[in-house]
Amino acid sequence: MSASVVGLSGSPAPVSRSRALLELALAALERQGSGPTRLIDLAQLPADGLLGRREDREVTAALRAVSEAGVIVVSTPIYRATYSGLLKVFFDLLPQDALAGKVAIPIATGGGAGHLLAVDHGLRPLLASVGALVVANGVYGTDAQFRNGVPEPPLVERIERAANEAAALASGVTT
Ligand SMILES: Cc1cc2nc3c(=O)[nH]c(=O)nc-3n(C[C@H](O)[C@H](O)[C@H](O)COP(=O)(O)O)c2cc1C
């Protein structure tokens, strides 16, 4: 069965704060009845396939999962003031309008608050460039908002708010 909600983790780190927020968002969407969820760890996909050097079964399956989903949740660490290169190479493989008719939630974590606007200046246009309807409530967390990998309550609340908005929008969005 294809997942109605697909999460894309763009962190290359094996233990990842942005991925932790992604997992919370997927759990919130599942609780709200948005359908089955699937998390795709982009760092686990073969690099040759991601870089377009050759066709790759796993990368093709990931692209198909995105095309079949109704809600896409994207998480990334901030690298050099914007989203990760890992996320970028995956998005470069998506066809034009690949996310048309889909709702998207942008999530990012950074070392500090200085690059907070990367959600609005980086992730939001990235998602809009392939046609996604992006929620107003994007999420940005700083490393100081995590204790032993667990996000503090205000950050969890922001994830809940974004998931609520995505669920409401998705129920009214037609392809
Ligand atoms: C190569 C590299 C570049 C980074 N660049 C930035 C940056 O420009 N701005 C920032 O706020 N944090 C930066 N950071 C910190 C990470 O964004 C931050 O620790 C983030 O929470 C990591 O997410 P993750 O645990 O999901 O991988 C950088 C970290 C690395 C490893």
Side-chain angles (χ1 to χ4, degrees):
M1 183 172 55
S2 60
S4 299
V5 181
V6 166
L8 298 172
S9 172
S11 175
V15 179
S16 157
R17 297 178 186 87
S18 55
R19 185 192 160 119
L21 296 184
L22 174 63
E23 286 169 0
L24 287 175
L26 295 184
L29 284 159
E30 201 158 323
R31 273 199 312 280
Q32 289 162 5
S34 293
T37 64
R38 175 176 169 196
L39 194 157
I40 298 173
D41 212 334
L42 299 179
Q44 299 299 319
L45 296 177
D48 270 1
L50 278 175
L51 292 173
R53 289 181 182 140
R54 62 172 170 80
E55 288 252 331
D56 178 86
R57 198 172 37 83
E58 288 176 68
V59 172
T60 302
L63 293 167
R64 189 178 323 112
V66 167
S67 74
E68 290 172 354
V71 178
I72 308 293
V73 189
V74 169
S75 71
T76 178
I78 299 301
Y79 280 0
R80 312 299 177 226
T82 190
Y83 48 80
S84 67
L86 186 54
L87 189 62
K88 177 72 163 77
V89 291
F90 184 77
F91 266 70
D92 288 352
L93 297 174
L94 288 171
Q96 197 61 36
D97 295 329
L99 300 194
K102 304 177 195 304
V103 174
I105 301 178
I107 297 173
T109 61
H115 289 135
L116 165 79
L117 285 175
V119 172
D120 288 328
H121 293 174
L123 272 179
R124 197 176 286 282
L126 173 76
L127 291 162
S129 73
V130 278
L133 176 61
V134 187
V135 295
N137 293 291
V139 179
Y140 183 88
T142 65
D143 290 355
Q145 289 179 292
F146 289 80
R147 295 275 175 278
N148 300 319
V150 179
E152 63 183 23
L155 197 46
V156 176
E157 276 165 34
R158 283 212 289 281
I159 291 282
E160 293 282 338
R161 201 178 325 141
N164 280 339
E165 188 189 352
L169 283 172
S171 63
V173 169
T174 53
T175 51

